[in-house]
């Protein structure tokens, strides 16, 4: 399980440090792809395979299923850490997530998310005042 929040800078070549806390669980190779809400998702190979199985169950006759699959799959790329614990994020994914300098890497259970600092702050500030309402509506007593 991934959890926690870490701040790192992306360099001009698109390289970003993956926090050491997450590296062992990710494994030597993992998948990076477009995420929801303009962030990037990072999956271990095992979790990616679980995601693929779920995607296979979506009805290809539904437009939303096809669109979701295209967005996730066309952005997917296999990554490896370099000797400094960094990944090289392809330019289309850097653009998609508006990654410029300061980035936030968060653990979200089965995946990591990579956000631009500005977008994560915006997301957080939009939701922090409603956190108790969100929880109340998700969990039954």
């Amino acid at each position: 399980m991934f959890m926690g929040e870490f701040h790192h800078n992306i360099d001009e070549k698109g390289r970003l440090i993956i926090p050491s806390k997450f590296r062992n669980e990710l494994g030597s190779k993992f998948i990076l792809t477009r995420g929801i809400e303009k962030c990037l998702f990072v999956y271990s190979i095992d979790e990616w395979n679980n995601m693929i199985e779920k995607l296979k169950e979506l009805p290809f006759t539904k437009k939303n299923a096809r669109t979701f699959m295209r967005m996730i799959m066309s952005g997917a790329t296999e990554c490896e850490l370099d000797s400094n614990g960094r990944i090289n994020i392809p330019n289309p994914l850097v653009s998609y997530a508006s990654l410029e300098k300061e980035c936030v890497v968060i653990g979200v259970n089965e995946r990591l998310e990579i956000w631009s600092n500005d977008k994560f702050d915006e997301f957080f500030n939009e939701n922090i005042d409603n956190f108790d309402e969100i929880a109340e509506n998700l969990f039954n007593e």
Side-chain angles (χ1 to χ4, degrees):
M1 175 177 62
F2 297 111
M3 60 184 179
E5 176 180 327
F6 301 86
H7 296 253
H8 292 284
N9 290 336
I10 190 169
D11 70 15
E12 64 282 347
K13 295 180 181 177
R15 296 177 299 194
L16 178 70
I17 291 174
I18 296 298
S20 59
K21 177 181 179 179
F22 298 142
R23 293 178 198 160
N24 284 341
E25 193 167 340
L26 271 179
S28 60
K29 293 186 180 188
F30 46 90
I31 304 298
L32 173 70
T33 191
R34 287 184 195 96
I36 299 168
E37 296 161 316
K38 295 288 190 161
C39 70
L40 302 178
F41 287 172
V42 182
Y43 292 97
S44 69
I45 295 296
D46 287 343
E47 284 299 331
W48 179 251
N49 289 334
N50 290 340
M51 170 69 90
I52 295 299
E53 290 307 311
K54 291 175 187 172
L55 290 175
K56 286 179 181 179
E57 294 175 14
L58 294 176
F60 77 92
T61 56
K62 300 283 186 179
K63 183 177 182 178
N64 285 343
R66 292 190 309 272
T67 300
F68 183 77
M69 229 179 296
R70 288 175 185 140
M71 294 298 289
I72 291 289
M73 298 302 294
S74 67
T77 185
E78 187 176 89
C79 292
E80 296 182 72
L81 295 169
D82 69 11
S83 60
N84 295 315
R86 300 174 301 189
I87 59 170
N88 191 357
I89 302 174
N91 287 335
L93 295 181
V94 169
S95 295
Y96 171 79
S98 303
L99 303 178
E100 292 179 1
K101 184 170 180 163
E102 296 177 49
C103 297
V104 181
V105 180
I106 61 173
V108 186
N109 198 13
E110 81 285 354
R111 70 176 181 273
L112 299 179
E113 293 182 355
I114 299 172
W115 291 75
S116 77
N117 191 66
D118 292 342
K119 293 240 184 252
F120 187 73
D121 283 348
E122 182 181 310
F123 167 82
F124 189 85
N125 291 330
E126 285 176 1
N127 291 288
I128 190 63
D129 291 337
N130 300 325
F131 188 47
D132 55 343
E133 285 179 40
I134 293 167
E136 185 175 324
N137 291 325
L138 284 178
F139 299 101
N140 295 327
E141 291 184 35

